Amino acid sequence: MENPSFRDMVRLFGRIGCLSFGGPAGQIALMHKELVAERQWIGEEQFLRALNFCHLLPGPEAQQLATWIGWRLHGVRGGLAAGSLFVLPGAAVMLALSIIYVLASGVGWVFALFLGVKAAVLALVVQAVLRIAGRALTTPFKRILAVASFIAVFFFNLPFPVVVLGAGAIGMIIAAWRPEWLALKVASEGGGASAPTRVSGTMRIAAILIGAWALPFVAIALTVGPDHVLMQIAAFFSRLAVVTFGGAYAVLAYMAQEAVQTYHWLRPGEMADGLGLAETTPGPLIMVTQFVGFLGAYRLPEPFSPLVAGMLGALVTTWVTFVPCFLWIFTFASWIERLEHAKRLQGGLAALTAAVVGVIANVALWFGVHVLFWRVGLVRYGPLRFIVPDVHSPNLTAMVLAALAFGLLFVGRIGVVAMLCLCGMAALMLRVFMHM
């Protein structure tokens, strides 16, 4: 199996970056088709081992897989090229859509269009719950973890990082005590020896990337000061990058809660708009973070103009979200084969994935009440705190559009982009009909 030239690899990953629609499943399938089945640049066993490795890491697994493949073919420069090309086309499109969103936000037809998008996003989140639950909840203990995580987030308002990291810690304990509860399949110790790893080289690369991760903090502190919104954005999304297990849907409710209630970067309902935009762009769905960073800086722009501040916010968000992905890959890639024997680590991941199902179920419910009702209340009872819709304020238009979205997705089984477009068109038609 002969490695391709660096130029050929860059050309292919540029093409993949522009065509990587459909979420991680579609993106991974595209890379498998192009790199394993057609060109045979990577072997089947290598590809699957690397994919399992990427599932162990926080962040978008498809982008990390692209980075690993680039690293495997051409070292660090190959990993940087492949990982960057997987992200940059979607980042550019997302920035353009964010600018259009803020400039056209007061137009009536734009409001109607995004109501259709919100309805489509609700169907997509429910689909994500069902898809991940079917894959992850394979034992009774995993189902108990999923229910417990939903209760912890929805009723007790526990932060997302606490829930998923706590589940991971429980999984590591259970892996040593009752591994069958998590249905673990760990390679025997008698397997093939892993390749030698140079600790000094690994530490050097890690130090460089940690320095790169810290660059925005230094630049912001030296130019606009440590209290600027850009510093808040850099700090928040850096924390999120460390705990983003389970994809964008898993952290959505936590991100929306912090962005709306704590930092006041977004208005209620705008997170669904951002996710709808991210669904229409190539690259990782976690690109929705760029939309949040853009709006946060756009609305607190001083001393910049709103558009300049928004673009800086988007740049900072994208940097601190994706630089850690390169850090994880370049630091741990050479240890990949040893992870096959890491029973405790695999147990922690299995439990964490089960907990993510409950977290995403909370996202689905959170979206549902905010999209389908005009007014939503917050009920407190002792340590409990949960959202309750006002049943006297149904958004009938949104309900009709949501029914259409569910029909298109679950019955018609059409693609994501096509469904978003059809729901948007239906919303515009309803607006015209209601104003006739």
Side-chain angles (χ1 to χ4, degrees):
M1 191 181 301
E2 186 176 345
N3 279 3
S5 69
F6 183 75
R7 178 177 295 182
D8 287 342
M9 189 206 73
V10 167
R11 187 180 297 115
L12 177 62
F13 272 101
R15 179 170 170 269
I16 289 173
C18 293
L19 298 176
S20 56
F21 294 91
Q27 293 158 358
I28 291 167
L30 175 62
M31 283 190 283
H32 184 274
K33 173 178 176 290
E34 295 282 354
L35 293 152
V36 179
E38 294 188 359
R39 290 170 176 79
Q40 298 180 344
W41 289 354
I42 296 290
E44 181 79 32
E45 187 176 335
Q46 284 181 314
F47 186 89
L48 293 176
R49 185 184 294 122
L51 179 58
N52 289 334
F53 164 64
C54 292
H55 280 306
L56 294 170
L57 304 173
E61 64 266 31
Q63 191 262 349
Q64 290 169 337
L65 180 60
T67 304
W68 180 87
I69 292 171
W71 172 84
R72 176 65 180 77
L73 295 175
H74 285 284
V76 172
R77 71 166 183 158
L80 289 172
S84 299
L85 289 170
F86 192 85
V87 169
L88 289 177
V93 174
M94 192 68 189
L95 179 59
L97 291 175
S98 299
I99 293 172
I100 294 171
Y101 180 85
V102 296
L103 294 180
S105 60
V107 181
W109 66 266
V110 174
F111 176 82
L113 177 67
F114 276 98
L115 183 59
V117 170
K118 288 185 178 77
V121 166
L122 176 58
L124 289 170
V125 175
V126 171
Q127 183 192 52
V129 175
L130 298 176
R131 186 176 62 243
I132 297 174
R135 187 176 69 239
L137 305 184
T138 55
T139 67
F141 181 74
K142 290 181 179 180
R143 291 189 279 274
I144 291 171
L145 276 178
V147 173
S149 71
F150 174 82
I151 292 172
V153 175
F154 184 76
F155 289 101
F156 291 93
N157 197 38
L158 290 183
F160 166 79
V162 172
V163 173
V164 296
L165 294 179
I170 292 171
M172 294 180 75
I173 296 170
I174 295 298
W177 181 48
R178 289 285 190 272
E180 66 275 11
W181 289 9
L182 295 168
L184 296 183
K185 295 180 181 179
V186 184
S188 65
E189 293 296 335
S194 57
T197 304
R198 293 185 177 180
V199 177
S200 60
T202 299
M203 296 300 291
R204 183 170 62 253
I205 294 170
I208 292 171
L209 286 169
I210 290 172
W213 193 357
L215 276 178
F217 294 91
V218 176
I220 294 166
L222 293 176
T223 53
V224 291
D227 298 325
H228 196 268
V229 66
L230 291 175
M231 185 67 80
Q232 295 177 341
I233 289 170
F236 175 69
F237 287 108
S238 290
R239 292 196 301 272
L240 209 63
V242 179
V243 295
T244 312
F245 296 93
Y249 287 118
V251 298
L252 210 57
Y254 171 66
M255 186 173 17
Q257 180 183 21
E258 292 296 302
V260 174
Q261 299 176 10
T262 303
Y263 296 106
H264 308 293
W265 295 337
L266 269 65
R267 303 185 184 107
E270 287 183 331
M271 182 61 74
D273 295 338
L275 187 62
L277 294 178
E279 290 278 11
T280 64
T281 63
L285 190 59
I286 199 68
M287 199 64 74
V288 67
T289 57
Q290 181 180 297
F291 174 81
V292 178
F294 178 91
L295 283 187
Y298 181 88
R299 288 174 175 157
L300 297 167
E302 292 80 8
F304 309 105
S305 68
L307 274 182
V308 169
M311 288 188 282
L312 289 173
L315 176 62
V316 168
T317 302
T318 303
W319 185 269
V320 300
T321 298
F322 289 103
V323 166
C325 296
F326 294 103
L327 172 63
W328 314 141
I329 293 296
F330 294 153
T331 302
F332 300 116
S334 55
W335 301 77
I336 180 171
E337 293 181 6
R338 302 184 183 192
L339 294 177
E340 291 185 320
H341 308 292
K343 183 171 68 175
R344 288 180 182 269
L345 188 58
Q346 291 193 22
L349 176 68
L352 187 151
T353 305
V356 161
V357 176
V359 174
I360 300 178
N362 172 69
V363 173
L365 189 57
W366 184 86
F367 264 134
V369 297
H370 282 88
V371 171
L372 302 179
F373 295 88
W374 290 109
R375 293 189 297 273
V376 178
L378 190 65
V379 174
R380 299 176 185 271
Y381 187 80
L384 303 180
R385 193 181 81 165
F386 49 93
I387 53 174
V388 176
D390 182 350
V391 295
H392 302 294
S393 65
N395 187 337
L396 298 179
T397 304
M399 290 182 178
V400 170
L401 293 169
L404 172 64
F406 276 88
L408 291 172
L409 191 63
F410 289 94
V411 180
R413 297 186 181 278
I414 69 172
V416 170
V417 176
M419 185 195 66
L420 287 164
C421 292
L422 288 174
C423 288
M425 290 171 58
L428 292 175
M429 292 172 64
L430 282 174
R431 181 176 184 271
V432 172
F433 176 77
M434 288 171 19
H435 284 80
M436 288 179 63

